[in-house]
């Protein structure tokens, strides 16, 4: 049982948006589809919902082919980035609307019960009699989410629903959504360009690239073992550093100063040109308690900008033509253009093929 | 693959039906007539002869000239006046509602009734206009004096239609975010500069609509003029529609048909030119005063 | 350049209504400081910005610019520039003419205009675009033009920003942030930046004021706000995740939070009777070990959340639920037992929403 997409193609006026997409999603999955804006996430969501038909391919839900079925006959719900609520109906009526128009008849009592239950879960009970425009952005989005989950849809689609909200509100709502999903057996599919959404809420992640799902699996696995440069690029915030290197004599040579020795795990990589991928938090600006760092495995670089994000500092650095991003897990006070030494963690980088971008050798597994 | 809702098409059937009766069939008929010489019940195909006759007709030409000047005058007066009035209108509160209603009233009146109102207004024995002019010693006579008649028609149209520009600009003005005016103030711009560089560019889209609508409607003006002056005195206020109607009344369907089509194409071409100019003026690479 | 001071500033929506947009505002911005007003939507930061710029006259209080009372003056009289949320450019003019606009309005001569426009264009990487029509450019470039117009006049006293990066593509944002910092370093202008995003505020500003519900809760450096939040809201709003906050009850020699006792000297506890007490500590300051430790809080891991560079653990122990931040590759699973310590210097005691001063230790 679950959702199955087989060989989905979608072509718009000669442009191929989805090119042979396959995906299997099981019951109880909270899936996050990760890709930058404009690459086809919304198209995919609309096709799963039934608002649009694929140019070719099949959609199977719980063993039944629903490819041509109109969205009104599918048991799906969708939440958008722009909080879409009926402006002339109060919150109660908004949430009740899917129940009122559904083919399945609900009694008045049932409707009231369901609406109140869902409103309580989303902490909007006090607003039930108000109109959407009287509410703040975050509250309106909660109403949209309530509307989506009130009828126990089989598949709940969320298209970047937190994009228009303040960051603190986003933090709060992510946890709420995670809890909401845990109580239900529906399939949640959440499209987002932000890795943190996937990491916080989802149990599975899918990378959408060039109209196909290039990687699918449990979140931690996709995060820690990107099978392609694109997986590493999309599923990383701040973005993963990609440095062209040459592998020879058991070393990855990035620049004449920076030669990273290949540990036993990577010894079987043949010589040649590759791309070294390393996450910003595995670049350190000082050797503190990190015993695996070596003074010699480092680069000097100029600080272009230090950004404080939450409780961390993201540093944009440049070394000649190379651009690096390092993440320091504290608050750094640095001057523009300051020169820093950047230490590379020799066990925590991936090696990708230079031509295809595919993973050749991945970083070390979780360390104690 | 029937994912799309086919039901929407059914909603169009009544509209399509009505339109075919009111529009398609008559238009086809007119086009048909224009190629024929219709006389006492019989019709002979004469090709483009009617068109040639129309274009060579001095009555047509002088009416066209009159019409062009009239439409041009209308735009020249109504657009700046409309903008000016909309700038002066209150933006919110009960005053705004009162202003909007007052301004909008002329638009609600049926067009021939407008003509009748102004006919009474300008009548030698009853009207206020002659009384007004007599105060200044001017002998106003809409029936016999060509100048009086012409400008009365212009005044009537201004009274009738300027509110359209006003309302369009009013909504356009409300769409301009305050930030732009604040920025202009901070930049030290004078009121005229602010108008020229902030207000006017941002009114472009509504003004385009307003100008196109006013051009097209003024070019086809008929009922009001007919009621007020009947085209006179003489042919002073006989615009293009007047010629068309008189031909139709004289049962000259062939000529009338050809005239209709020529009329249509003139409006189409001039409107298109307006449209191109209005949507392109002031955008993109302008050479600056200095670099 | 200017020193800006707000003294007892407050603004009521309608005089006598009691409904204040901002109140009890007392803030000083020294000449040349880069600063931010940070807070959630509706906290009053935009109102405060308008009061500083002169677009709004506060119903109470005084605004001083270099010691002079400018409360009643308009923005152009104060020579304050403002950059808005969406780019404001004169669409019918070229980039050059846009930048020249403020100068020409004040009667500068051709030579002055040309020199200054080129100078500003070079600072903002607009030199190659001077001849282009402003309407044809993208959002990031238009914002640079807006910014340029703000600083083109040499007598600009301060530049105010109202969430200027809102419409900029996320990938481009940090380039503009760098630009703003560069400009600040180069021109030494007093800059005030309004935003709801802590990332923007803490990256850009040397001095940040956190606001909520019309009040300025704390003004300080990013580090001060992070390590010594003077109000629970500041601790919550800054940092990801926000500070752990516990309700506390007063005892003779300390406070109780859950089943944990925190000792405090009697001078600290003086006068706290009858007040609502809370204790706060940030997740990143809590130390955890897997080896048993009698002095520590024995806790169970209820949840493990990966944020990319860290793991956030939900721990429960001694009647408390709290979050702790550890390295991303730490080997921790749900159900594990960990021993947590709250270092003294990281714990802050709050009474009625304000930090008890002596508990705000200097951060390491």
């Amino acid at each position: 049982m679950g959702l199955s997409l087989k060989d989905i193609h979608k072509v718009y006026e000669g442009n191929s948006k989805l090119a042979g997409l396959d995906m299997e999603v099981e019951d109880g999955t909270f899936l996050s589809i990760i890709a930058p804006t404009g690459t086809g996430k919304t198209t995919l969501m609309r096709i799963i919902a039934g608002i649009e038909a694929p140019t070719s391919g099949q959609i199977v839900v719980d063993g039944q082919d629903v490819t041509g079925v109109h969205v009104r006959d599918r048991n799906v719900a969708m939440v958008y980035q722009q909080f879409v609520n009926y402006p002339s109906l109060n919150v109660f009526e908004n949430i009740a609307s899917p129940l009122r128009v559904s083919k399945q008849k609900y009694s008045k009592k049932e409707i009231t019960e369901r609406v109140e239950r869902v409103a309580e879960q989303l902490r909007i009970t006090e607003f039930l009699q108000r109109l959407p425009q009287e509410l703040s952005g975050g509250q309106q989005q909660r109403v949209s989410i309530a509307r989506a989950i009130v009828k126990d849809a089989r598949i709940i689609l969320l298209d970047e629903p937190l994009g228009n909200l303040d960051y603190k509100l986003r933090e709060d709502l992510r946890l709420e959504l995670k809890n909401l999903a845990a109580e239900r057996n529906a399939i949640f599919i959440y499209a987002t360009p932000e890795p943190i959404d996937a990491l916080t809420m989802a149990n599975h992640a899918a990378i959408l690239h060039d109209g196909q799902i290039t990687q699918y699996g449990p979140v931690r696995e996709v995060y820690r073992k990107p099978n392609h440069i694109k997986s590493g690029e999309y599923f990383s915030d701040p973005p993963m550093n990609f440095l062209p290197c040459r592998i020879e004599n058991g070393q990855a040579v990035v620049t004449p100063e920076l030669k990273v020795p290949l540990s036993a795990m990577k010894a079987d990589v043949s010589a040649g040109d590759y791309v070294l991928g390393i996450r910003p938090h595995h670049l350190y600006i000082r050797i503190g308690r990190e015993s695996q760092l070596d003074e010699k495995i480092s680069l000097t670089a100029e600080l272009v900008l230090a950004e404080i994000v939450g409780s961390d500092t993201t540093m944009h650095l440049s070394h000649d033509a190379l651009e690096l991003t390092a993440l320091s897990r504290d608050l750094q006070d640095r001057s523009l253009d300051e020169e820093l030494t950047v230490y590379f963690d020799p066990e925590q980088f991936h090696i990708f093929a230079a031509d295809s971008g595919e993973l050749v050798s991945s970083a070390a597994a979780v360390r104690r | 693959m029937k994912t799309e809702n086919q039901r929407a098409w059914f909603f169009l059937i009544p509209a399509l039906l009505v339109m075919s009766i009111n529009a398609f069939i008559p238009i086809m008929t007119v086009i048909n007539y224009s190629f024929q010489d219709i006389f006492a019940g019989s019709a002979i195909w004469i090709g483009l002869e009617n068109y040639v006759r129309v274009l060579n007709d001095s009555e047509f030409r002088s009416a066209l000239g009159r019409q062009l000047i009239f439409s041009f005058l209308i735009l020249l007066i109504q657009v700046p006046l409309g903008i000016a009035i909309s700038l002066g209108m209150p933006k919110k509160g009960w005053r705004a509602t009162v202003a909007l209603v007052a301004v909008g009233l002329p638009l609600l009146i049926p067009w021939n009734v407008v003509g009748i109102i102004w006919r009474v207004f300008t009548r030698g024995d009853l009207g206020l206009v002659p009384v007004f002019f007599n105060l200044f010693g001017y002998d106003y006579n809409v029936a016999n004096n060509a100048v009086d008649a012409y400008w009365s028609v212009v005044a009537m149209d201004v009274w009738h239609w300027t509110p359209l520009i006003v309302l369009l600009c009013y909504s356009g003005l409300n769409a301009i975010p305050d930030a732009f005016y604040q920025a202009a103030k901070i930049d030290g711009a004078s009121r005229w500069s602010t108008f020229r560089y902030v207000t006017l560019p941002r009114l472009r889209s509504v003004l385009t609509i307003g100008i196109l609508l006013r051009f097209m409607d003024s070019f086809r003006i008929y009922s009001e003029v007919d009621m007020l002056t009947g085209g006179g005195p003489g042919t002073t206020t006989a615009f293009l529609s007047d010629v068309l109607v008189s031909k139709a009344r004289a049962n000259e369907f062939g000529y009338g048909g050809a005239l209709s089509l020529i009329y249509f194409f003139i409006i189409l071409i001039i409107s298109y030119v307006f449209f191109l100019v209005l949507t392109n003026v002031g955008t993109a690479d302008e050479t600056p005063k200095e670099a | 350049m200017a020193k800006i001071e707000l003294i007892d500033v407050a603004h009521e929506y309608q005089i006598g209504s009691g409904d204040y947009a901002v109140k009890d505002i007392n803030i000083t911005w020294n000449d040349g400081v880069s600063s931010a007003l940070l807070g959630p939507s509706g906290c009053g930061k935009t109102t405060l910005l308008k009061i500083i710029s002169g677009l709004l006259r506060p119903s109470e209080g005084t605004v001083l610019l270099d010691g002079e009372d400018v409360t009643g003056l308009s923005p152009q009289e104060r020579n304050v520039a403002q950059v808005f949320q969406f780019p404001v450019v004169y669409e019918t003019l070229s980039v050059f003419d846009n930048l020249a606009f403020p100068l020409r309005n004040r009667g500068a001569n051709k030579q002055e205009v040309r020199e200054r426009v080129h100078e500003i264009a070079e600072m903002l990487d607009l030199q190659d675009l001077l001849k282009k029509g402003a309407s044809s450019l993208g959002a990031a470039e238009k914002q640079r033009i807006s910014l340029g117009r703000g600083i083109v006049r040499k007598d600009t006293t301060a530049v105010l920003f109202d969430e200027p990066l809102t419409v900029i593509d996320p990938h481009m944002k940090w380039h503009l942030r760098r630009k703003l910092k560069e400009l600040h370093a180069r021109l030494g202008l007093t800059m005030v930046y309004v935003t709801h995003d802590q990332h923007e505020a803490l990256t850009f500003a040397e001095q940040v004021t956190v606001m909520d519900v019309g009040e300025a809760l704390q003004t300080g450096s990013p580090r001060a706000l992070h390590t010594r939040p003077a109000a629970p809201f500041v601790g919550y709003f800054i940092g990801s995740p926000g500070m752990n906050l516990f309700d506390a009850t007063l005892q003779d020699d300390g406070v109780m939070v859950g089943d944990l006792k925190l000792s405090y000297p009697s001078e600290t506890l003086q006068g706290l009777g009858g007040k609502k007490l809370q204790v706060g500590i940030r997740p990143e300051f809590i130390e955890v070990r897997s080896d048993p430790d009698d002095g520590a809080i024995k806790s169970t891991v209820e949840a493990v959340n990966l944020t990319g560079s860290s793991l956030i653990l939900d721990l429960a122990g001694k009647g408390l639920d709290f979050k702790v931040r550890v390295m991303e590759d730490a080997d921790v699973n749900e159900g594990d037992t960990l021993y947590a310590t709250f270092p003294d210097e990281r714990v802050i005691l709050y009474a009625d929403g304000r930090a008890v001063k002596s508990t705000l230790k200097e951060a390491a």
Side-chain angles (χ1 to χ4, degrees):
Chain A
M1 300 292 263
L3 170 70
S4 187
L5 298 173
K6 302 196 207 294
D7 201 33
I8 303 279
H9 286 265
K10 183 70 185 178
V11 181
Y12 283 120
E13 294 163 15
N15 283 328
S16 177
K17 205 84 199 221
L18 299 175
L21 188 145
D22 293 294
M23 194 163 73
E24 300 274 335
V25 186
E26 284 173 10
D27 259 353
T29 302
F30 191 129
L31 170 69
S32 185
I33 301 181
I34 305 171
T37 317
T39 48
K41 295 193 298 300
T42 304
T43 310
L44 179 57
M45 303 280 265
R46 290 165 66 92
I47 288 177
I48 297 175
I51 301 172
E52 271 182 53
T55 313
S56 69
Q58 241 194 345
I59 305 159
V60 178
V61 176
D62 293 339
Q64 275 197 313
D65 187 336
V66 296
T67 316
V69 176
H70 194 267
V71 61
R72 278 144 112 292
D73 301 321
R74 297 198 206 186
N75 199 0
V76 298
M78 195 149 166
V79 183
Y80 303 85
Q81 190 172 14
Q82 314 91 317
F83 355 111
V84 187
N85 292 310
Y86 298 108
S88 53
L89 300 178
N90 65 18
V91 170
F92 184 97
E93 286 303 322
N94 257 288
I95 302 176
S97 60
L99 299 174
R100 294 202 199 277
V101 300
S102 115
K103 297 215 156 132
Q104 184 181 344
K105 294 292 164 215
Y106 292 91
S107 71
K108 240 184 138 187
K109 182 158 161 280
E110 256 191 293
I111 293 182
T112 312
E113 262 174 28
R114 278 171 177 265
V115 172
E116 284 178 358
R117 197 179 346 133
V118 152
E120 207 189 296
Q121 284 181 309
L122 283 157
R123 301 190 277 131
I124 47 175
T125 318
E126 53 182 296
F127 303 125
L128 281 174
Q129 299 307 319
R130 302 238 207 125
L131 290 176
Q133 59 254 38
E134 297 169 29
L135 306 179
S136 72
Q139 290 155 354
Q140 285 186 44
Q141 192 60 304
R142 291 217 192 102
V143 173
S144 295
I145 297 173
R147 230 178 53 242
I149 61 177
V150 75
K151 67 169 179 171
D152 280 341
R154 191 75 190 81
I155 302 177
I156 299 184
L157 301 161
L158 303 116
D159 196 355
E160 296 191 57
L162 307 180
N164 283 344
L165 304 175
D166 289 0
Y167 88 96
K168 265 297 166 184
L169 209 46
R170 266 185 256 151
E171 269 181 29
D172 293 339
L173 275 176
R174 265 182 221 128
L175 293 174
E176 278 183 38
L177 278 173
K178 182 176 178 177
N179 293 334
L180 273 177
E183 297 168 12
R184 294 176 152 68
N185 203 27
I187 293 176
F188 278 71
I189 304 185
Y190 192 106
T192 178
E194 307 251 357
I196 186 75
D197 289 337
L199 291 169
T200 312
M201 295 182 283
N203 46 35
H204 280 74
I207 308 286
L208 179 64
H209 175 61
D210 266 352
Q212 294 183 325
I213 300 286
T214 53
Q215 189 166 5
Y216 182 96
V219 167
R220 302 264 176 111
E221 216 178 271
V222 177
Y223 181 72
R224 295 220 155 98
K225 269 195 152 73
N227 65 5
H228 189 276
I229 284 183
K230 286 300 169 189
S231 292
E233 187 186 318
Y234 295 167
F235 203 178
S236 188
D237 186 30
M240 190 184 271
N241 292 293
F242 292 109
L243 307 169
C245 66
R246 179 155 183 83
I247 295 202
E248 55 197 8
N249 304 327
Q251 285 182 329
V253 181
V254 181
T255 73
E257 300 94 27
L258 179 60
K259 300 183 186 174
V260 189
L262 301 180
S263 64
M265 272 188 64
K266 296 186 171 52
D268 53 346
V269 178
S270 49
D273 290 322
Y274 295 89
V275 175
L276 186 148
I278 184 164
R279 290 195 192 271
H281 63 271
H282 290 133
L283 292 179
Y284 300 85
I285 54 169
R286 62 171 161 355
I287 303 182
R289 290 186 271 182
E290 333 295 340
S291 49
Q292 74 281 15
L293 296 179
D294 186 332
E295 266 187 10
K296 295 194 256 14
I297 311 174
S298 64
L299 261 187
T300 45
E302 263 180 28
L303 179 68
V304 180
L305 181 67
E307 299 188 275
I308 300 188
V309 188
S311 310
D312 305 322
T313 310
T314 303
M315 286 168 286
H316 300 268
L317 305 146
S318 82
H319 169 95
D320 292 342
L322 274 181
E323 280 182 9
L324 298 171
T325 312
L327 184 91
S328 179
R329 294 168 71 256
D330 53 12
L331 297 190
Q332 291 282 327
D333 221 340
R334 300 275 169 193
S335 340
L336 288 185
D337 302 325
E338 195 179 317
E339 216 178 62
L340 296 168
T341 309
V342 182
Y343 302 94
F344 282 59
D345 190 327
E347 289 170 37
Q348 294 294 340
F349 61 92
H350 308 285
I351 299 181
F352 298 94
D355 45 7
S356 67
E358 275 174 23
L359 184 71
V360 169
S361 178
S362 72
V366 172
R367 187 178 50 218
R368 205 160 268 275
Chain B
M1 252 205 235
K2 265 186 147 231
T3 333
E4 285 168 39
N5 195 337
Q6 311 291 341
R7 274 170 267 191
W9 292 111
F10 287 105
F11 283 99
L12 288 178
I13 290 183
L16 283 173
L17 221 53
V18 169
M19 279 199 69
S20 12
I21 296 173
N22 280 350
F24 300 147
I25 297 174
I27 290 177
M28 291 297 127
T29 314
V30 166
I31 296 178
N32 190 22
Y33 284 172
S34 69
F35 294 120
Q36 322 240 13
D37 185 12
I38 301 169
F39 186 74
S42 64
I44 312 165
W45 180 271
I46 51 168
L48 293 173
E49 211 181 292
N50 277 324
Y51 290 90
V52 175
R53 268 182 66 205
V54 171
L55 292 171
N56 285 326
D57 187 355
S58 63
E59 201 187 337
F60 165 75
R61 286 187 179 164
S62 51
L64 178 60
R66 244 172 272 130
Q67 179 71 78
L68 285 168
I69 296 173
F70 178 71
S71 288
F72 177 69
L73 261 180
I74 288 299
L75 287 175
L76 198 61
I77 298 175
Q78 289 180 5
V79 173
L81 183 59
I83 298 176
I85 295 178
S86 67
L87 284 173
M89 282 173 64
K91 291 213 168 164
K92 28 184 195 183
W94 63 268
R95 290 195 188 88
T97 317
V98 169
L100 281 170
V101 170
V103 160
L105 277 176
L107 291 171
L108 297 173
I109 304 174
W111 301 3
N112 50 358
V113 176
V114 169
I116 295 175
I117 291 176
W118 276 76
R119 188 158 79 182
V120 173
F121 206 31
T122 57
R123 255 173 72 158
D125 51 345
L126 292 178
L128 283 175
V129 174
V131 169
F132 175 76
F133 276 110
N134 281 334
L135 290 175
F136 296 94
Y138 179 74
D139 187 19
Y140 175 88
N141 191 328
V142 73
N144 294 331
N145 189 322
V147 171
D148 290 349
Y150 192 84
W151 287 104
S152 299
V153 170
V154 172
M156 174 178 65
D157 198 85
V158 168
W159 175 88
H160 187 191
W161 286 110
T162 308
L164 177 66
I165 307 277
V166 174
L167 291 178
L168 283 172
C169 287
Y170 184 79
S171 70
L173 283 175
N174 279 344
I176 302 179
D178 255 343
F180 280 82
Y181 292 111
Q182 289 165 11
K185 261 203 260 181
I186 291 174
D187 284 343
S190 64
R191 286 177 57 168
W192 166 250
S193 274
T194 308
F195 176 74
R196 184 175 162 200
Y197 294 113
V198 177
T199 317
L200 213 49
R202 303 209 123 232
L203 284 179
R204 183 212 301 282
S205 47
V206 292
L207 281 179
T208 305
I209 297 173
I211 291 174
L212 281 176
L213 281 180
R214 283 283 59 231
F215 168 73
M216 291 190 284
D217 280 348
S218 69
F219 212 79
R220 297 176 302 145
I221 193 170
Y222 179 69
S223 327
E224 304 96 307
V225 181
D226 197 47
M227 283 294 145
L228 180 55
T229 62
T235 54
T236 336
T237 57
F239 300 119
L240 214 41
S241 55
D242 194 83
V243 176
L244 182 53
V245 170
S246 62
K247 292 298 176 193
R249 292 217 177 103
N251 288 345
E252 290 200 41
F253 296 133
Y255 184 96
L259 177 52
S260 289
L261 276 143
I262 294 176
Y263 201 167
F264 169 71
F265 279 113
I266 295 176
I267 299 181
L268 187 64
I269 293 169
I270 302 183
S271 300
Y272 187 62
V273 169
F274 263 124
F275 176 73
L276 283 179
V277 169
L278 288 168
T279 48
N280 283 320
V281 75
T283 51
D285 310 304
E286 264 198 19
T287 22
K289 297 190 193 120
E290 49 188 285
Chain C
M1 337 298 167
K3 175 173 172 177
I4 306 175
E5 290 166 86
L6 295 179
I7 304 178
D8 291 333
V9 166
H11 188 71
E12 255 182 304
Y13 287 114
Q14 263 180 314
I15 311 289
S17 65
D19 194 9
Y20 281 87
V22 291
K23 54 185 171 183
D24 293 330
I25 306 289
N26 282 288
I27 309 177
T28 300
W29 286 276
N30 284 318
D31 187 9
V33 76
S34 64
S35 65
L37 292 175
L38 174 66
S41 306
C43 69
K45 55 193 191 291
T46 308
T47 307
L48 203 53
L49 194 73
K50 288 193 184 156
I51 291 175
I52 300 172
S53 73
L55 288 168
L56 183 64
R57 188 184 178 142
S59 55
E60 290 162 43
T62 324
V63 181
L64 297 181
L65 215 57
D66 277 336
E68 268 186 53
D69 189 340
V70 297
T71 322
L73 294 184
S74 65
Q76 58 265 44
E77 286 164 328
R78 299 185 198 192
N79 283 330
V80 164
Q82 188 153 346
V83 180
F84 299 87
Q85 224 168 17
F86 47 86
V88 173
V89 292
Y90 301 105
E91 289 155 23
T92 51
L93 298 177
S94 66
V95 174
F96 185 97
D97 288 332
N98 259 279
L99 295 174
F101 194 68
L103 295 173
R104 289 192 181 131
N105 284 330
R106 284 170 173 80
N109 67 51
K110 269 192 165 186
Q111 175 77 344
E112 286 170 0
V113 170
R114 195 201 338 254
E115 271 174 19
R116 186 64 176 167
V117 169
H118 277 286
E119 201 184 330
I120 296 296
E122 183 259 313
M123 275 192 235
L124 292 165
D125 292 331
L126 290 170
Q127 322 90 301
D128 300 326
L129 300 171
L130 283 173
K131 290 204 185 157
K132 289 198 117 197
S135 57
S136 60
L137 301 176
E141 287 138 336
K142 281 186 181 171
Q143 271 302 41
R144 276 187 271 150
I145 298 175
S146 291
L147 180 54
R149 267 201 346 270
I151 58 179
V152 75
R153 284 185 297 116
K154 292 200 176 154
D155 57 354
T156 301
T157 48
V159 186
L160 308 178
F161 300 87
D162 190 357
E163 311 212 41
L165 303 186
T166 307
V167 296
I168 310 290
D169 198 20
H171 309 290
M172 296 295 304
K173 284 196 199 201
W174 76 265
H175 292 286
L176 270 174
R177 281 185 205 128
R178 154 93 195 181
K179 242 326 139 207
L180 288 174
K181 279 192 100 109
E182 261 177 41
L183 272 181
H184 177 255
R186 190 158 161 185
L187 296 174
L189 285 171
T190 310
M191 289 181 167
V192 183
Y193 193 110
V194 157
T195 177
H196 68 270
D197 189 338
Q198 57 158 350
H199 179 170
E200 311 256 320
L202 301 178
T203 298
F204 172 74
E206 299 160 310
Q207 175 184 314
V208 179
T209 302
V210 177
M211 293 180 69
D212 189 33
V213 202
E215 285 190 43
L217 296 172
Q218 184 175 1
T219 300
S221 69
R223 184 179 294 281
L225 293 176
H226 185 257
T227 48
R228 287 170 283 142
F233 181 80
V234 178
Y236 155 74
F237 202 71
I238 304 233
S240 215
M243 189 166 74
N244 290 301
L245 205 56
F246 312 111
D247 286 329
T249 35
L250 188 61
Q251 308 258 291
D252 288 332
D253 51 348
V255 298
M256 282 299 276
V257 279
D259 300 328
L260 179 69
K261 164 78 153 284
L262 296 172
S263 307
Y264 283 106
S266 45
E267 308 92 69
T268 309
L269 301 174
Q270 223 168 31
L272 294 184
K275 296 199 180 175
K276 171 175 167 156
L277 296 179
Q278 288 165 297
V279 162
I281 181 165
R282 287 204 181 277
E284 53 266 34
F285 294 147
I286 300 178
E287 292 170 8
V288 281
R289 302 192 136 63
S290 37
D291 339 312
D293 182 343
D294 284 335
I297 305 170
K298 183 170 173 192
S299 3
T300 321
V301 178
E302 312 245 287
V304 179
N305 262 307
L306 176 62
T307 67
S309 56
S310 301
L311 287 181
I312 306 289
L313 309 174
D314 285 351
L315 294 184
K318 281 242 163 145
L320 300 170
D321 290 308
F322 53 98
K323 292 191 196 287
V324 176
R325 194 173 85 149
V326 297
M327 299 284 282
E328 173 236 337
D329 50 8
D331 189 18
V332 181
N333 297 301
E334 233 172 90
D336 283 359
T337 303
L338 290 177
Y339 295 85
T341 327
F342 294 178
D344 281 341
E345 70 275 14
R346 300 297 193 185
V347 177
I348 304 179
L349 181 62
Y350 294 99
D352 277 347
R354 293 272 174 216
V356 173
K357 285 276 173 348
S358 55
T359 63
L360 286 178
K361 309 265 169 53
E362 279 302 313

